Amino acid sequence: VAVKHKLGQALGAEDARRVFGELLGNIYRAFQYREDRAIYNALASGVDGDLLRSLYLQFKRSLLMAEQGGAVSRVKGMKIVAGKVKQVKGGFVYDCTWRVTGTVEHWGHVHTRENEYSAIMAISLTPEGRGRITGFDVTNEKRVRFETGLRTFGED
């Protein structure tokens, strides 16, 4: 996502939230792909430098653990709960909380989970106004909701 701003000029709270939301959403969308190269390339569009490899491995490990024993995990939605922007040279730092709803399906039943995460993200902005995640530090993680149901055929 690109936002209109001049380098060195403060980015508004709504624009920062929008940039953060798009970048975070891109991370979760990347893992809808099944091939490692496609996942990595999708992540590379919004994550910078050494963080790219680290983030890829962290998310991949998390999803693989969920998929042990033939389980299939899917992210169904992501919602930003709160965020506070702090301007820094070349971008901003976003202290944020978001919730992710997903399912893990195995052995004929489906677990629906909603987890809440808090993190401090460093985001750089290019002269064109495009954001890239340059720092990602998760400060808290908790399960908000957990349900189990039977798999019904014909439903996603």
Side-chain angles (χ1 to χ4, degrees):
V1 67
V3 292
K4 291 185 179 186
H5 83 290
K6 293 182 181 175
L7 283 181
Q9 189 178 41
L11 190 66
E14 273 308 305
D15 282 338
R17 182 183 180 103
R18 197 176 75 198
V19 168
F20 167 75
E22 286 294 323
L23 291 170
L24 187 63
N26 185 61
I27 290 172
Y28 289 109
R29 281 189 301 275
F31 284 95
Q32 290 177 349
Y33 295 108
R34 293 294 171 214
E35 294 181 16
D36 289 341
R37 181 179 298 278
I39 294 168
Y40 194 85
N41 289 341
L43 284 175
S45 69
V47 179
D48 207 24
D50 294 336
L51 180 61
L52 175 59
R53 177 176 160 70
S54 168
L55 206 55
Y56 168 79
L57 292 173
Q58 179 182 344
F59 273 76
K60 183 73 172 175
R61 194 173 305 120
S62 172
L63 289 173
L64 282 175
M65 288 174 69
E67 292 182 357
Q68 287 178 351
V72 177
S73 59
R74 289 188 176 87
V75 172
K76 296 294 187 178
M78 190 237 3
K79 175 177 81 170
I80 299 171
V81 176
K84 191 165 74 174
V85 64
K86 176 184 173 191
Q87 304 297 322
V88 296
K89 185 176 181 175
F92 62 98
V93 173
Y94 205 64
D95 187 348
C96 52
T97 302
W98 71 96
R99 289 188 176 177
V100 177
T101 304
T103 59
V104 177
E105 179 181 341
H106 59 113
W107 301 323
H109 62 277
V110 179
H111 301 287
T112 300
R113 297 176 180 163
E114 184 173 10
N115 291 341
E116 184 174 278
Y117 301 91
S118 295
I120 297 172
M121 299 252 209
I123 298 173
S124 67
L125 294 172
T126 67
E128 300 82 31
R130 298 212 178 272
R132 294 186 63 76
I133 299 172
T134 57
F136 190 104
D137 182 23
V138 176
T139 56
N140 193 28
E141 176 182 341
K142 68 181 178 183
R143 179 161 296 154
V144 177
R145 181 172 60 96
F146 181 84
E147 298 172 1
T148 301
L150 293 176
R151 172 71 164 128
T152 56
F153 294 96
E155 290 185 18
D156 224 3

